Amino acid sequence: MPPTLDLSESTHAKMIVTAPRLNLRRAASYQHEKPPLSATSSSFNINHLIFSPPPSPGLPALVPRPRKSPTTPRPSRVLRVVFWVLMLALFLFVARTIVQRNNIRVPVVEWAFEGSEEYEMVGQYDLPEFPTPIAVTDRNGRSKWTVSIPPTYGFPLTVKEYSDICVKCQEVAAHVRELHGQANPFQQAQTDYYHVDPHFIDVSDAEKRGLLPGVEGKAWKVTAQAQEGHLVGENKDGLVDKSICKTSLTFVLESPDAGLGPTLMMLWMAYGLAQKEKRSFFIDDSRWAYGEYTTIFKAPPIPDCSPPPRHEMLPCPHNARHLVVSAATASQTFGNSFNNEYEDLHRNNVNREKPMYSLARAGYEALFRLNDQDQPYVENRIKELREKAKAPEGNYNDGTIIGIHVRHGDVHPYEYQYHGAYIPLDLYTQKAKEILEEYHNSSTILGGEDVVAMKHSFPIVASDDPDVYESEEFSNSLRAQEQIKLASKQHLKQASPDKHVMHKFVDEAFGWEGGFFATMFWNLGRSTLNNANAADEIQTTLNPSAETMRLRGLIGRAYMMDLAMLGQASDVVICTMSAMGCRLIAVIMGWEKAMANGKWVNIDGDYLWTGLSL
């Protein structure tokens, strides 16, 4: 019989005594044991009754519950994964872009030196089928670069192609310098206009070394000649073959700008630059918006040598043997390095620009020869105006002819208060009055006013806006030229037939109200019936009709006669520097008259004469 548990004589009321066979341990609930099925079972144990703590709903579980593994991922986790994948992809894309920019990919070929009798294309044999600079490497790892233009490629190149080549020339030149261990570009190459890149090889030299194919065979020559464009004055049917010019500069008359003034200024400066560098000069008018060059001017002086093959005419670098210049390469030819070379940095006044002025003046003297129809008119008009300004014999002075050039349209003044509009017309007339008073108020021997000279003085006006001639301010002025007039719709309607009588249909009249606008120029000659959005379109890429080219030629001729009259017939010229015509007139007048004697007056701010604003 097992011993009984006696608690009657215990001195400690809270003391627990266990039988020898009774194990003092935690309840089954703490050991994760299964409870007995029933109290009468033979394996029944009361330990879980003695030591089991009372249930308390406020106490946390002593052992945390195991987390259930979800069968499907939560949406937040999916979004995080997608986010990190996208960030990784973005990082790889940016890294790849940076690497590609740092490592310029250019076509690389290999060539042999002149010491070898035969030249072998070892590397990339097939040259690009489009114009582009290429880097070349010899067998010893020495690198040079040149410009590859397929001989059968059309000339001239497009504006975009010339622009792209100039950008790529700088990239390829920098790439070749890196191959030579010159990480940073030369400071001299950035500032010196006549810096010679020692790593550049000209096209003709590359052809001699077998690097470029050149024009080989009769078939290639015929194909190349068919793509030669149109050089003004070139005689292709001459009986005597001239030798190819040693060096040359070809100016391409093509520009996305409708205005004639900037192109004319670049043409004059390019001619002066060619004479300065002793290059033969050529003009290409294949795609000129104003038609053939000889429509407005006489042919330029023809050199005693033949122009080079067109694929040898390069827009860059400047030390290329045969250079081509256009509006697309103006920043390359007339950019910051050009200004550093030809500006007189020791002067702070207008004399600072005299070297550039001299280049433009040389171009004017050689190229500004109007056609056989306009030049005689200009000469007779000048004589007529001079006779009108001439005072009777015995008078102290002749009258003064004041030329006034008013530019409206899409060109606005530099002056801040008029920047969104135009210079008021009364400012022109007020300035003209001040000049006449200064010249003749005390021009007699005794210092008195020369009344006769004042009466024989008058202004002549040239403007792109027909309404300027009809304004009250210029009611007593004369037109600079009356050979070709730009009319407004008001004048065209006055000349139109009676509306009550049936007539043959004529398209809507086209006027020049407000002046010269590029959109109006590009849409000349186009029917207004299907031209609802003409003002928003730029028609530079469309093939113009014969009527369009005729109208454009008339505009160009009128503009040139205006400039000739103001520059050659006027004693003083008032104009605005914001208009390129104003700067061209200063060149026509000559340095002594315009600048030294102050006969060229700008009323558009305190700006001095500059040639180009790039």
Side-chain angles (χ1 to χ4, degrees):
M1 179 177 178
T4 60
L5 181 61
D6 187 8
L7 300 177
S8 58
E9 297 181 359
S10 176
T11 58
H12 301 282
K14 297 182 180 181
M15 182 177 179
I16 300 175
V17 180
T18 61
R21 294 172 56 186
L22 186 62
N23 294 327
L24 187 60
R25 59 187 179 89
R26 292 184 180 181
S29 61
Y30 293 104
Q31 300 296 330
H32 304 287
E33 296 178 359
K34 294 183 179 180
L37 297 176
S38 65
T40 58
S41 174
S42 60
S43 61
F44 178 75
N45 196 319
I46 66 171
N47 291 335
H48 69 283
L49 298 177
I50 299 176
F51 295 98
S52 176
S56 177
L59 295 177
L62 298 179
V63 180
R65 295 181 180 180
R67 298 182 62 181
K68 296 181 180 180
S69 58
T71 56
T72 58
R74 290 181 295 176
S76 59
R77 180 177 298 176
V78 173
L79 293 177
R80 280 200 301 269
V81 172
V82 172
F83 172 77
W84 286 113
V85 170
L86 292 177
M87 290 298 294
L88 179 61
L90 179 62
F91 173 78
L92 294 176
F93 175 77
V94 173
R96 180 183 178 185
T97 303
I98 295 175
V99 171
Q100 287 181 346
R101 287 182 179 178
N102 293 335
N103 300 319
I104 303 172
R105 294 185 178 181
V106 295
V108 178
V109 297
E110 298 187 359
W111 53 280
F113 282 109
E114 290 183 355
S116 304
E117 296 181 358
E118 297 181 357
Y119 304 101
E120 182 182 2
M121 299 279 293
V122 182
Q124 176 183 328
Y125 185 78
D126 294 329
L127 291 171
E129 298 180 355
F130 54 89
T132 183
I134 59 174
V136 296
T137 306
D138 66 4
R139 295 184 179 88
N140 297 325
R142 287 169 290 192
S143 301
K144 288 184 178 294
W145 69 279
T146 187
V147 179
S148 171
I149 300 178
T152 57
Y153 209 81
F155 180 87
L157 307 183
T158 64
V159 173
K160 185 178 185 305
E161 285 174 329
Y162 277 130
S163 179
D164 291 344
I165 288 178
C166 289
V167 174
K168 292 178 182 178
C169 279
Q170 299 177 4
E171 296 177 351
V172 175
H175 173 70
V176 173
R177 284 196 296 266
E178 291 179 359
L179 295 178
H180 283 268
Q182 303 165 357
N184 297 324
F186 293 132
Q187 184 70 19
Q188 183 182 11
Q190 294 179 333
T191 58
D192 189 357
Y193 187 64
Y194 290 108
H195 170 74
V196 177
D197 190 342
H199 309 304
F200 172 74
I201 178 172
D202 214 295
V203 174
S204 58
D205 295 335
E207 291 177 351
K208 291 178 182 178
R209 298 179 177 183
L211 171 61
L212 298 177
V215 182
E216 299 177 357
K218 185 176 181 180
W220 270 47
K221 290 183 179 180
V222 172
T223 306
Q225 290 176 357
Q227 305 292 336
E228 286 184 349
H230 182 256
L231 295 186
V232 181
E234 181 185 11
N235 185 12
K236 297 184 179 180
D237 299 329
L239 299 178
V240 180
D241 292 336
K242 300 179 181 179
S243 60
I244 295 178
C245 302
K246 295 182 179 179
T247 59
S248 67
L249 189 153
T250 302
F251 188 85
V252 177
L253 286 170
E254 182 181 15
S255 172
D257 185 8
L260 182 56
T263 301
L264 191 63
M265 180 64 79
M266 277 189 282
L267 174 66
W268 291 355
M269 295 184 70
Y271 180 88
L273 184 64
Q275 299 303 305
K276 184 80 172 180
E277 299 175 355
K278 301 187 182 306
R279 295 176 181 262
S280 301
F281 185 77
F282 300 95
I283 299 176
D284 182 273
D285 62 354
S286 303
R287 294 194 295 265
W288 194 25
Y290 287 84
E292 294 185 3
Y293 181 83
T294 52
T295 302
I296 303 176
F297 305 102
K298 293 180 181 179
I302 306 300
D304 295 332
C305 54
S306 298
R310 306 301 185 261
H311 68 282
E312 295 185 16
M313 297 179 178
L314 308 180
C316 63
H318 189 76
N319 63 304
R321 189 172 291 124
H322 301 289
L323 194 65
V324 60
V325 179
S326 69
T329 65
S331 59
Q332 180 81 16
T333 307
F334 302 112
N336 294 330
S337 57
F338 173 80
N339 294 335
N340 294 334
E341 177 69 25
Y342 284 97
E343 276 188 346
D344 189 352
L345 302 180
H346 301 288
R347 304 290 184 90
N348 293 325
N349 52 16
V350 71
N351 292 318
R352 182 188 184 97
E353 306 295 328
K354 189 174 182 179
M356 294 187 185
Y357 182 98
S358 299
L359 296 180
R361 178 69 184 184
Y364 158 75
E365 293 176 350
L367 303 177
F368 194 77
R369 299 183 299 170
L370 302 181
N371 60 31
D372 293 334
Q373 185 177 358
D374 297 336
Q375 184 62 38
Y377 171 81
V378 169
E379 294 176 356
N380 293 332
R381 179 69 170 168
I382 292 176
K383 291 180 181 179
E384 176 186 343
L385 296 178
R386 288 294 181 189
E387 287 294 327
K388 185 178 179 61
K390 188 175 182 181
E393 293 185 5
N395 195 63
Y396 300 105
N397 303 289
D398 291 333
T400 301
I401 302 177
I402 299 181
I404 299 177
H405 180 261
V406 181
R407 177 69 161 97
H408 284 174
D410 49 14
V411 173
H412 296 281
Y414 290 151
E415 189 75 24
Y416 179 77
Q417 59 179 330
Y418 305 118
H419 185 66
Y422 306 110
I423 299 291
L425 298 181
D426 60 341
L427 293 186
Y428 292 93
T429 55
Q430 180 181 350
K431 190 66 177 179
K433 182 179 179 181
E434 293 175 359
I435 292 174
L436 290 179
E437 291 176 353
E438 179 184 354
Y439 285 5
H440 299 299
N441 273 2
S442 57
S443 60
T444 62
I445 296 178
L446 300 178
E449 180 183 1
D450 193 338
V451 179
V452 177
M454 290 285 286
K455 289 182 178 180
H456 284 77
S457 300
F458 55 88
I460 59 175
V461 182
S463 176
D464 60 333
D465 187 354
D467 294 336
V468 169
Y469 300 106
E470 307 298 329
S471 63
E472 182 181 353
E473 290 81 359
F474 296 117
S475 58
N476 297 323
S477 303
L478 299 177
R479 283 178 178 261
Q481 59 87 21
E482 296 182 347
Q483 176 89 331
I484 301 175
K485 301 179 182 179
L486 298 179
S488 61
K489 283 186 178 182
Q490 180 179 359
H491 291 82
L492 294 176
K493 290 179 179 179
Q494 292 176 358
S496 62
D498 189 358
K499 296 181 179 180
H500 299 286
V501 180
M502 184 177 293
H503 298 276
K504 183 180 178 180
F505 173 76
V506 179
D507 199 359
E508 183 181 352
F510 184 89
W512 289 95
E513 289 82 3
F516 182 91
F517 291 90
T519 51
M520 296 172 63
F521 175 82
W522 294 122
N523 289 284
L524 275 175
R526 297 184 64 200
S527 175
T528 56
L529 296 178
N530 299 317
N531 199 22
N533 298 323
D536 298 329
E537 298 177 3
I538 298 179
Q539 307 297 329
T540 57
T541 58
L542 298 180
N543 293 326
S545 63
E547 178 64 15
T548 296
M549 298 308 299
R550 186 186 72 86
L551 294 175
R552 292 180 181 180
L554 290 174
I555 293 174
R557 290 173 55 193
Y559 183 43
M560 291 301 101
M561 285 190 286
D562 284 340
L563 297 183
M565 290 301 305
L566 293 180
Q568 298 173 8
S570 303
D571 297 309
V572 184
V573 173
I574 303 172
C575 56
T576 56
M577 253 290 292
S578 53
M580 182 56 70
C582 180
R583 310 182 198 186
L584 292 170
I585 293 171
V587 177
I588 296 174
M589 295 175 68
W591 181 267
E592 291 298 323
K593 179 179 179 181
M595 304 301 171
N597 298 331
K599 305 299 183 180
W600 180 78
V601 180
N602 167 45
I603 61 172
D604 187 11
D606 298 328
Y607 296 95
L608 302 177
W609 183 92
T610 55
L612 295 172
S613 300
L614 300 177

